[in-house]
Amino acid sequence: MPIKVMPDALASRVAAGEVVERPASVVKELIENSLDAGASRIDIELEGGGRNLIRVADDGHGIAAEELALAFERFATSKVDESSDLVAIPTLGFRGEALPSIAAVADVTAVSRHVEAESGAECNVTFGSDPQVLAAGAPVGTSVTVRQLFRNVPARLKFLSSPSAESARVATLVGQMALIRSDVRFRLTVDGVSRLNTPGDFDDAAALAAVYRVKDPSALVNIYADLDAAFSVGGALAMPNLHFGRRSHITIAVNGRLVQTYRLTYAVERGYQGFLPDRRFPMALIKVHAPLEDVDVNVHPQKTEVRFRREGLIFSVVERAVKDALGKRAAVRQFSDTRIASSLTTSLEGAFAMRRSAGVEPATEAPISSEVDERPNNVNGDQTAGNRTKSKPKEQSKSVKHSSPQPPSTARHRDVLPGLRVLGQAQSTYIVAEDASGVFLIDQHAAHERVKFEEIRAKRARQASESQALLSPQMVDLTPQRQVVYSEGAQWFQESGWEIEPFGGGSVLIRAVPQVLAERAATSANAAENALVRVLDDMSQSDARISDADTMPWSERLLATMACHAAVRAGDSLTLESCEEIVRLLQECEHPQSCPHGRPTMLLLTGEVLEREFGRRK
């Protein structure tokens, strides 16, 4: 066919495809317009999955009657002009395509009243027809009603999912928008049934509880953003006992814009590493505040993706904010049998309060620095047990500012554990201890693994890894799979204290092993070979079990595996002095509540539960 200019109606339908994919796309565009208009309340109604009806009403500043028809013209916008910087854009939408694109594939009625006007106006546009404007009574704000979506585009209509599936997509979207704007009250009604109602009281944790229907408020904690900092992070997190099999409960916003970013999602997961089991994901709301000129929002037509000028810095700030928030509200897990305990966790603040009520005060200790580790292996807190020196005040000045002063109740495990009285060992696997809050069962292997992990991690960070030379080098023939694993991490083996040389073909020569493994390596003639093979096999199994996005960095997994092999085992008989030493070392760890692989190190049976079980209280 010859080249020719498309008619306006056809061009509008084609352009609508970039903006309007399904009912959720319509809802997103209309909500963003409401937010840009300064709304404090947004009501969304849906019928038939959005095919029959979509209505979004707000109490924003409204549209003047003489401008209402112009709002349906392509590229008409009040958000940018000739002098605008199209990189540093503060609004959610600015291209002026939302309303005309929606009106090209639906019957649209917009009723609005400007905040300075005494009356409102109504504008009707049917499948791209010319706008028809009439005077109308209306409250301040705007209401947009969309009917018969895609009736003039049967192919698009045919590929929509069922009404229930489309409604679910809209509910998910509205929930995410309600999370990133906890200052706005959102109400969603689907086929006459209320599906969502958020408080709009600026409380991110309350918004998270409303969207995901979390019944226990203590399971959530706010992150307080320092708005004076160039880069900061706010939002809310769920405690580690609340986790899921998918990443669908992680919501990320950048400068108030809902975005999809693998890197920042991974930063959140890194912040939770050591708190969650493998292949489990948290519930989190992360709101990044960054200079507008550092964020490019023009990467995607629907602006769901962004590009950062300093992505590494933002990654570190997000990871550190998550770690700090979890560290201040870490939890000791209670017995989960519903007959024994109605809750899975007890907050450290609660245990700390019990200790104070019993007249037991923790020893005063200098605060731990939150300096960001520039190395790529920052997993479970950058101050570790291997550095067992108290932080100096000057170290505090190096920390990244990411939040305003938090509420005063910030007891940590190190404030609770020093008072533990070790009673002994049970079943050659668990250390039994007590304090005023109750009885603790400590998994001796998981606890010692945490101690060893932080010890060797600190030494490697200081480039002070210790080695034990072998009396005679040991040659090891590696299978092809083990060769791949070793070649991938040869540098990390060397930095962790191994001295290994290629010996031709698939063989290597071990000249020294890390000091942390030396004691167990001395138990047999081929202990060094066995240790290397076990580490390589564990690493290969870990690679096969989980993807790169689901796990800690390769080097961190190597250290965790080494710590696992260096730690005491379940079934090892320990003296009372050895039990006390493990508990003492555990109290000095930054995150003693879990081993590096995410398993809990201890469980708490509170005094209250014991009294109830023995009939001392009801």
Side-chain angles (χ1 to χ4, degrees):
M1 292 188 298
I3 297 174
K4 59 183 178 181
V5 177
M6 288 188 295
D8 289 342
L10 178 58
S12 296
R13 290 204 300 272
V14 172
E18 293 186 0
V19 179
V20 184
E21 294 182 2
R22 56 190 347 118
S25 306
V26 175
V27 174
K28 178 178 183 293
E29 295 291 345
L30 296 180
I31 288 178
E32 289 183 344
N33 280 344
S34 296
L35 293 174
D36 283 341
S40 62
R41 175 187 55 79
I42 301 177
D43 296 331
I44 304 101
E45 297 178 47
L46 206 68
E47 292 182 6
R51 304 184 193 197
N52 301 338
L53 174 92
I54 298 172
R55 179 176 291 118
V56 177
D58 64 63
D59 62 351
H61 55 63
I63 304 173
E66 62 273 15
E67 298 177 359
L68 193 55
L70 187 60
F72 286 88
E73 295 292 331
R74 291 196 68 192
F75 310 121
T77 180
S78 62
K79 302 173 184 179
V80 295
D81 57 22
E82 293 84 353
S83 63
S84 298
D85 183 349
L86 294 183
V87 174
I89 297 171
T91 57
L92 298 177
F94 56 89
R95 301 200 311 187
E97 295 183 358
L99 286 179
S101 294
I102 295 169
V105 291
D107 180 4
V108 179
T109 300
V111 180
S112 186
R113 175 185 162 193
H114 192 266
V115 65
E116 297 178 355
E118 296 182 356
S119 62
E122 176 182 311
C123 182
N124 297 292
V125 181
T126 304
F127 300 103
S129 65
D130 293 334
Q132 304 294 321
V133 180
L134 302 170
V140 173
T142 302
S143 173
V144 179
T145 303
V146 180
R147 295 183 176 87
Q148 303 179 67
L149 183 64
F150 296 141
R151 192 191 71 179
N152 63 335
V153 191
R156 189 78 56 81
L157 191 64
K158 181 176 65 174
F159 283 98
L160 289 183
S161 301
S162 67
S164 60
E166 295 296 341
S167 296
R169 285 191 175 94
V170 171
T172 298
L173 170 72
V174 174
Q176 291 175 324
M177 300 295 284
L179 289 178
I180 65 176
R181 289 298 301 269
S182 59
D183 58 316
V184 178
R185 179 176 179 180
F186 284 80
R187 184 173 64 183
L188 171 64
T189 303
V190 177
D191 295 326
V193 179
S194 177
R195 293 282 296 273
L196 177 66
N197 197 344
T198 62
D201 58 359
F202 293 84
D203 187 338
D204 291 328
L208 203 62
V211 170
Y212 292 117
R213 301 181 182 180
V214 179
K215 297 181 179 179
D216 182 11
S218 66
L220 304 173
V221 58
N222 280 310
I223 304 176
Y224 297 91
D226 181 4
L227 298 181
D228 294 329
F231 297 89
S232 65
V233 175
L237 303 174
M239 289 295 97
N241 64 292
L242 193 61
H243 49 78
F244 306 88
R246 301 173 59 191
R247 298 182 178 87
S248 56
H249 291 75
I250 301 176
T251 301
I252 297 179
V254 177
N255 293 338
R257 184 188 303 276
L258 178 66
V259 298
Q260 298 171 357
T261 161
Y262 163 78
R263 285 284 291 165
L264 295 191
T265 300
Y266 185 40
V268 175
E269 295 173 26
R270 284 279 298 270
Y272 271 90
Q273 279 176 357
F275 291 92
L276 296 179
D278 289 342
R279 295 189 64 81
R280 302 298 292 178
F281 304 98
M283 174 190 294
L285 166 62
I286 300 298
K287 298 160 71 170
V288 177
H289 303 275
L292 295 177
E293 59 272 14
D294 270 74
V295 184
D296 183 1
V297 300
N298 290 307
V299 179
H300 192 275
Q302 297 179 5
K303 304 175 187 62
T304 56
E305 300 175 10
V306 295
R307 182 185 294 118
F308 300 102
R309 181 187 300 176
R310 289 176 278 185
E311 186 176 59
L313 174 60
I314 295 179
F315 184 99
S316 298
V317 173
V318 170
E319 181 185 4
R320 170 55 57 188
V322 173
K323 286 182 179 178
D324 285 352
L326 293 176
K328 292 172 183 175
R329 288 285 302 277
V332 178
R333 292 179 56 181
Q334 290 183 6
F335 287 90
S336 58
D337 190 313
T338 55
R339 187 176 64 86
I340 296 178
S342 60
S343 171
L344 286 176
T345 62
T346 179
S347 69
L348 286 180
E349 288 84 350
F352 188 42
M354 293 179 191
R355 289 177 49 78
R356 288 189 301 181
S357 65
V360 181
E361 291 294 337
T364 302
E365 184 171 337
I368 296 296
S369 168
S370 59
E371 179 180 355
V372 172
D373 186 355
E374 294 299 329
R375 298 174 65 84
N377 309 305
N378 188 16
V379 175
N380 287 312
D382 299 304
Q383 290 288 347
T384 59
N387 263 343
R388 296 184 185 116
T389 57
K390 294 181 173 63
S391 300
K392 301 176 182 178
K394 65 180 181 180
E395 291 176 326
Q396 296 286 326
S397 62
K398 298 180 183 179
S399 61
V400 174
K401 292 176 60 181
H402 62 85
S403 64
S404 60
Q406 303 221 5
S409 179
T410 58
R412 294 193 178 208
H413 273 280
R414 63 171 122 303
D415 297 324
V416 179
L417 295 182
L420 287 182
R421 183 169 71 94
V422 177
L423 303 178
Q425 187 186 34
Q427 298 185 335
S428 297
T429 301
Y430 305 104
I431 299 172
V432 183
E434 69 169 357
D435 75 349
S437 60
V439 177
F440 290 77
L441 285 182
I442 301 172
D443 185 319
Q444 64 191 39
H445 174 69
H448 202 216
E449 184 180 342
R450 163 56 63 182
V451 169
K452 289 296 185 182
F453 174 78
E454 296 200 5
E455 177 184 330
I456 61 180
R457 186 171 179 271
K459 288 180 178 179
R460 193 197 64 185
R462 300 195 310 268
Q463 297 182 345
S465 297
E466 299 175 349
S467 300
Q468 175 66 56
L470 302 181
L471 292 178
S472 60
Q474 291 188 15
M475 187 183 72
V476 183
D477 293 321
L478 300 180
T479 64
Q481 184 179 26
R482 291 169 182 164
Q483 290 178 38
V484 171
V485 176
Y486 173 71
S487 62
E488 181 182 355
Q491 172 191 352
W492 303 112
F493 275 95
Q494 180 180 355
E495 291 187 7
S496 301
W498 294 84
E499 290 186 18
I500 304 175
E501 298 176 0
F503 201 67
S507 301
V508 295
L509 197 67
I510 306 175
R511 295 191 177 276
V513 297
Q515 183 65 42
V516 71
L517 295 175
E519 181 176 347
R520 290 191 173 271
T523 58
S524 67
N526 297 323
E529 175 183 354
N530 294 336
L532 177 62
V533 168
R534 286 198 307 268
V535 169
L536 292 175
D537 287 346
D538 284 354
M539 297 298 293
S540 62
Q541 290 171 9
S542 179
D543 282 333
R545 186 173 64 251
I546 46 185
S547 65
D548 290 342
D550 295 337
T551 182
M552 63 181 72
W554 201 98
S555 58
E556 294 293 330
R557 285 189 283 129
L558 172 60
L559 299 187
T561 301
M562 288 171 52
C564 180
H565 288 292
V568 298
R569 303 287 186 181
D572 289 350
S573 295
L574 304 178
T575 64
L576 182 63
E577 290 75 16
S578 297
C579 294
E580 291 174 341
E581 177 69 4
I582 290 177
V583 172
R584 184 187 68 80
L585 294 174
L586 185 64
Q587 78 189 21
E588 297 178 9
C589 292
E590 183 68 16
H591 295 296
Q593 70 283 345
S594 65
C595 78
H597 297 100
R599 289 198 307 111
T601 58
M602 67 192 79
L603 296 175
L604 169 62
L605 184 60
T606 65
E608 177 183 350
V609 170
L610 284 171
E611 290 181 350
R612 187 169 62 247
E613 289 301 304
F614 281 103
R616 293 180 176 272
R617 71 163 65 187
K618 296 181 179 180

